[in-house]
């Protein structure tokens, strides 16, 4: 791994919050192991290995039942580690792949059989090289035939330019990490309101209320400045929000979060049992396990 890369927490706290039965960690990753599933030559970072066995162990420890595993940029378009984890999960995991324009329908159908249900488009410039939107639209047309959806990762300052493109996509769209708002600006800042307004105007757009460890300025263990943002989206769009750990937390620079602390934030953003069940069970099951 890179010399400055921070490995995942070796001994997370057992959370006080007990998720409802059937809860889904809807945003996490597997890395390698690199000697079995090599990292992409064009990667922007080299992580520590974080194999499926560690992910499933954490899932059980935190009190979750299922995972949605998102292909990480360090593996590029080589989805073998992801597919291997899905096949080993016993139908307890679904996946989000990363593919290029050359991907064939046969390859997509093979991934579909393994449990892949969407693709990820990454617009974060420090993580990936720019891809023309026409390429993404071509991929979207292919995956729409399978009933898949699209996960998009961008930063708040780039949303205004992306809105026409997002509205043109033919599938459900899931936005990673609330579109990465600047928490110091508050929930009433135009940048965050733009995202809320987009969700209100387009009922195909969902959001993951995830990654306080990346967004918070206040920091752990409470990440208090994250709470109003997550709470706003859960309250406004209870049937279009998802939650996940983001384990193993790639490219953290300030600290490595304790996953137990992250779980204990859930009742602060989803304050009723109904909201918690929608966030953790009903919504991800509808999106990922409905077939």
């Amino acid at each position: 791994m890179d010399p400055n890369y921070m490995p995942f927490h070796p001994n997370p706290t057992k959370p006080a919050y007990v998720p409802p039965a059937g809860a889904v960690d809807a945003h996490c990753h597997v890395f390698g192991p690199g000697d079995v599933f090599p990292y992409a030559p064009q990667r922007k970072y080299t992580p520590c290995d974080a194999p499926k066995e560690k992910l499933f162990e954490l899932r059980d420890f935190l009190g979750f039942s299922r995972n949605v595993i998102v292909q990480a940029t360090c593996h590029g378009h080589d989805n073998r580690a992801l597919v291997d984890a899905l096949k080993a999960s016993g139908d307890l995991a679904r996946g989000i792949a990363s593919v290029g324009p050359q991907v064939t329908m046969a390859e997509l159908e093979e991934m579909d059989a393994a449990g892949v249900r969407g693709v990820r488009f990454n617009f974060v410039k420090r993580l990936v090289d720019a891809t023309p939107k026409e390429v993404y639209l071509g991929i979207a047309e292919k995956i729409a035939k399978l009933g898949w959806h699209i996960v998009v990762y961008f930063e708040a300052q780039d949303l205004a330019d992306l809105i026409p493109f997002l509205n043109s996509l033919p599938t459900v769209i899931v936005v990673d990490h609330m579109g990465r708002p600047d928490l110091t600006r508050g929930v009433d800042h135009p940048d965050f309101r733009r995202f809320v307004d987009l969700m209100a105007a387009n009922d195909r757009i969902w959001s993951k209320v995830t990654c306080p460890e990346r967004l918070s300025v206040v920091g752990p263990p409470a990440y208090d400045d994250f709470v109003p943002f997550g709470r706003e989206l859960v309250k406004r769009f209870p049937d279009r929000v998802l939650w996940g750990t983001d384990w193993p937390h790639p490219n953290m620079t300030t600290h490595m979060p304790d996953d137990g602390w992250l779980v204990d934030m859930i009742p602060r953003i989803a304050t009723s049992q109904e909201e918690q069940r929608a966030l953790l069970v009903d919504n991800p099951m509808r999106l990922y396990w409905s077939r």
Side-chain angles (χ1 to χ4, degrees):
M1 65 180 180
D2 293 336
N4 61 345
Y5 188 89
M6 299 179 69
F8 56 85
H9 198 296
N11 189 29
T13 304
K14 185 72 173 178
Y17 174 70
V18 178
V24 180
D25 175 353
H27 187 92
C28 49
H29 311 282
V30 289
F31 297 158
D35 59 349
V36 180
F37 303 110
Y39 299 112
Q42 72 274 21
R43 65 190 180 275
K44 303 290 188 181
Y45 66 94
T46 303
C48 67
D49 287 345
K52 60 184 183 293
E53 294 85 1
K54 289 290 186 181
L55 175 63
F56 299 154
E57 178 184 313
L58 180 72
R59 174 199 67 197
D60 296 343
F61 176 76
L62 296 177
F64 286 78
S65 299
R66 300 169 188 254
N67 299 104
V68 178
I69 305 171
V70 178
Q71 174 79 347
T73 60
C74 60
H75 277 295
H77 296 329
D78 181 352
N79 295 280
R80 287 179 296 165
L82 167 65
V83 168
D84 174 72
L86 298 180
K87 290 180 176 179
S89 74
D91 200 45
L92 295 179
R94 292 288 188 260
I96 298 296
S98 177
V99 302
Q102 298 84 10
V103 69
T104 66
M105 286 306 300
E107 289 169 331
L108 293 172
E109 288 164 359
E110 185 176 349
M111 287 190 281
D112 183 78
V116 173
R117 293 294 180 265
V119 295
R120 192 187 202 196
F121 296 166
N122 193 324
F123 297 96
V124 179
K125 299 177 179 65
R126 57 190 163 76
L127 294 177
V128 293
D129 296 326
T131 298
K133 292 185 176 62
E134 294 75 17
V135 171
Y136 284 138
L137 288 171
I139 294 170
E141 290 177 5
K142 291 179 181 179
I143 65 104
K145 298 173 184 176
L146 296 171
W148 288 11
H149 65 272
I150 294 165
V151 173
V152 292
Y153 190 24
F154 58 82
E155 297 184 311
Q157 65 269 21
D158 298 321
L159 175 57
D161 291 338
L162 284 172
I163 286 175
F165 169 73
L166 296 177
N167 284 330
S168 74
L169 293 173
T171 71
V172 166
I173 302 155
V174 179
V175 176
D176 278 342
H177 317 326
M178 307 187 300
R180 291 192 63 103
D182 181 344
L183 302 193
T184 65
R185 295 179 169 183
V187 294
D188 293 324
H189 188 274
D191 282 353
F192 187 63
R193 299 326 300 177
R194 182 180 296 113
F195 180 54
V196 173
D197 291 345
L198 176 63
M199 287 193 69
N202 186 338
D203 62 8
R204 291 183 293 108
I205 295 181
W206 296 41
S207 179
K208 296 176 187 173
V209 287
T210 46
C211 283
E213 73 278 13
R214 295 190 184 281
L215 301 175
S216 174
V217 177
V218 173
Y223 303 108
D224 288 329
D225 49 346
F226 177 90
V227 172
F229 290 81
R231 178 72 195 124
E232 173 77 0
L233 295 180
V234 170
K235 180 178 65 175
R236 287 282 305 272
F237 311 106
D239 60 342
R240 286 189 277 142
V241 284
L242 303 166
W243 182 91
T245 56
D246 194 35
W247 188 89
H249 312 286
N251 297 308
M252 288 296 296
T253 58
T254 57
H255 69 290
M256 182 49 58
D258 181 321
D259 293 281
W261 294 347
L262 301 181
V263 173
D264 279 336
M265 291 195 67
I266 292 170
R268 301 175 65 201
I269 62 174
T271 57
S272 69
Q273 290 186 354
E274 293 77 14
E275 287 179 342
Q276 292 161 21
R277 180 169 180 82
L279 177 68
L280 300 174
V281 183
D282 296 343
N283 296 347
M285 290 301 293
R286 187 170 83 251
L287 190 60
Y288 291 98
W289 275 272
S290 59
R291 62 177 178 86

